[in-house]
Amino acid sequence: LGYNYQLSTNFKIKLEGYYQHIYDTPVEEGNYFSLANVGADFTFEDVDSLVNKGTGTNVGLEITLEKMFSKGYYFLVNASLYDSKFVGGDGIERNTAFNGSYTVNTLAGYEFKLSKKASLSFDAKFSMAGGKRYQRIDVTASVAEGSVVFDESSVFDLKFDDYSRLDLKIGFRLNGKKTTQLWAFDVQNLTNTKNVFREVFDPGSGEVKKEYQTGFFPVGLYKITF
């Protein structure tokens, strides 16, 4: 259920509420495994003989406030509260691997006209989200096996610290008669925030270690449009 309201020519607000019932999800009978969680770690588990008996629900509220580009600037703010559940082959309802509970995204930009042909632009993006769900590693069992063994009593009950990231881009645009050129410098994760991606078991040391998502990452850009 959605509602859109045009506050002015270039300014609008959107509200949306949703409920989604999922059924016939492939699951492994007698086990918590469900295809609903595949992709959270960019891997695919080696499973077989799945049956279409899984279910799930997604419910949430979302608000978006948008100022389209005019008078040299734009911005967009989006916030979402949600809950995502699944039922695996063991019949137990749990959080999905994607159930971070909330997200907030903010985009903004400003363009300075240096001349009729040249302009300087500044764009920023800030994102926050609930921590990534994960499953506790059973260290004792992992050491005994020589490979990772997960504690099945903690399936996606645990969450890493909340995710946050700030990106900033500075660009110079030159408009010609037949081409437009853009030089830009884009800094991703400007504050070098260490967002946890996952925990891994190191069989050599017998310890659990954290792997992190991309840190401070500067990118140069040149683009020409004919």
Side-chain angles (χ1 to χ4, degrees):
L1 180 66
Y3 176 74
N4 288 279
Y5 184 69
Q6 195 78 27
L7 298 170
S8 65
T9 303
N10 298 303
F11 194 39
K12 66 179 180 180
I13 186 170
K14 178 181 178 181
L15 300 171
E16 185 176 61
Y18 60 88
Y19 173 81
Q20 181 183 34
H21 173 68
I22 302 166
Y23 58 92
D24 288 346
T25 306
V27 298
E28 184 178 2
E29 284 198 288
N31 190 281
Y32 67 87
F33 178 84
S34 171
L35 207 68
N37 300 303
V38 170
D41 289 329
F42 301 100
T43 59
F44 192 93
E45 296 185 46
D46 186 13
V47 293
D48 198 357
S49 303
L50 302 181
V51 294
N52 294 91
K53 294 183 178 180
T55 61
T57 57
N58 292 312
V59 59
L61 295 170
E62 187 168 323
I63 182 171
T64 302
L65 200 61
E66 181 179 8
K67 161 66 170 61
M68 296 181 183
F69 184 81
S70 64
K71 297 182 179 179
Y73 74 99
Y74 73 93
F75 68 81
L76 182 146
V77 180
N78 172 268
S80 178
L81 295 174
Y82 63 93
D83 188 41
S84 179
K85 303 287 189 183
F86 81 100
V87 177
D90 56 5
I92 299 174
E93 185 181 62
R94 298 180 172 91
N95 295 301
T96 68
F98 304 97
N99 193 12
S101 301
Y102 83 95
T103 61
V104 177
N105 291 289
T106 302
L107 306 173
Y110 195 90
E111 183 178 83
F112 295 91
K113 290 288 186 181
L114 302 177
S115 67
K116 291 183 178 180
K117 295 183 177 181
S119 62
L120 185 66
S121 63
F122 296 88
D123 298 275
K125 177 183 178 181
F126 178 69
S127 299
M128 286 188 65
K132 189 173 182 289
R133 295 276 177 178
Y134 71 101
Q135 190 174 352
R136 182 185 293 111
I137 295 175
D138 187 329
V139 179
T140 303
S142 297
V143 171
E145 288 286 328
S147 60
V148 64
V149 177
F150 291 101
D151 178 2
E152 295 190 5
S153 67
S154 66
V155 180
F156 305 131
D157 283 341
L158 306 173
K159 293 174 67 178
F160 293 124
D161 291 341
D162 287 358
Y163 173 96
S164 66
R165 172 172 153 175
L166 175 64
D167 298 342
L168 180 65
K169 183 171 75 174
I170 301 173
F172 174 75
R173 186 185 304 274
L174 184 63
N175 298 315
K177 289 183 178 180
K178 296 183 178 181
T179 63
T180 297
Q181 297 180 77
L182 173 67
W183 293 263
F185 184 64
D186 186 6
V187 182
Q188 300 174 20
N189 198 355
L190 180 66
T191 57
N192 197 31
T193 302
K194 290 190 174 183
N195 295 299
V196 180
F197 175 57
R198 64 179 178 177
E199 284 188 342
V200 295
F201 175 71
D202 182 352
S205 64
E207 297 177 344
V208 174
K209 299 180 179 179
K210 288 183 171 64
E211 291 184 347
Y212 295 90
Q213 301 191 43
T214 305
F216 179 84
F217 191 69
V219 180
L221 169 69
Y222 172 72
K223 179 179 178 181
I224 182 169
T225 305
F226 296 93

